[in-house]
Amino acid sequence: MADRERRRHERIKIDKTVTIRDGVAEHRGRVLDISSSGAAVSMNKSDLHLEDDQNLELELEEIGVLSGNVVRALDDGFAMSFDLDDESEDRLISEITGYRTGSFTE
């Protein structure tokens, strides 16, 4: 089954600057796509050593801070899943829906 078919939440393609916090330092990257369950982030891999299940925080302007865990390495970054309660997930869905309709821009 393809990844797209297994996903529970629609991913929205975006290109937004993000601050990545690993508990020790801050790093810069770009969010490539986002859903209410996670995101794909592009960054210079030499900036941050990543491990599966590593806890990170992403800070996106207009959305705020999203916490979660690394689920896999990508050629130019990583994918992570978010740890959100129902209320936070609903708010994120509203925010990324706004991006898709053009009200969330950089």
Side-chain angles (χ1 to χ4, degrees):
M1 181 180 289
D3 282 343
R4 196 172 302 255
E5 294 173 21
R6 290 191 318 236
R7 290 194 176 127
R8 298 176 321 167
H9 306 279
E10 179 184 5
R11 291 201 171 264
I12 307 298
K13 294 215 177 282
I14 65 173
D15 184 15
K16 300 284 290 176
T17 301
V18 64
T19 300
I20 305 151
R21 294 187 187 100
D22 63 3
V24 176
E26 289 188 356
H27 311 273
R28 301 292 280 177
R30 306 278 307 166
V31 173
L32 304 174
D33 68 46
I34 191 168
S35 75
S36 62
S37 62
V41 178
S42 174
M43 64 177 293
N44 182 343
K45 280 192 168 184
S46 65
D47 288 345
L48 175 64
H49 175 74
L50 297 170
E51 297 179 17
D52 284 348
D53 208 37
Q54 179 176 348
N55 188 272
L56 296 175
E57 288 184 343
L58 300 183
E59 184 172 355
L60 278 153
E61 193 174 317
E62 292 111 356
I63 291 179
V65 177
L66 300 166
S67 297
N69 296 320
V70 173
V71 292
R72 71 182 163 280
L74 304 174
D75 289 340
D76 62 348
F78 62 93
M80 71 180 289
S81 63
F82 298 136
D83 300 324
L84 300 175
D85 59 28
D86 289 341
E87 182 179 328
S88 297
E89 185 174 347
D90 289 344
R91 186 178 66 80
L92 180 56
I93 289 169
S94 177
E95 293 288 341
I96 61 179
T97 299
Y99 180 80
R100 186 175 51 204
T101 61
S103 62
F104 176 80
T105 59
E106 185 168 48

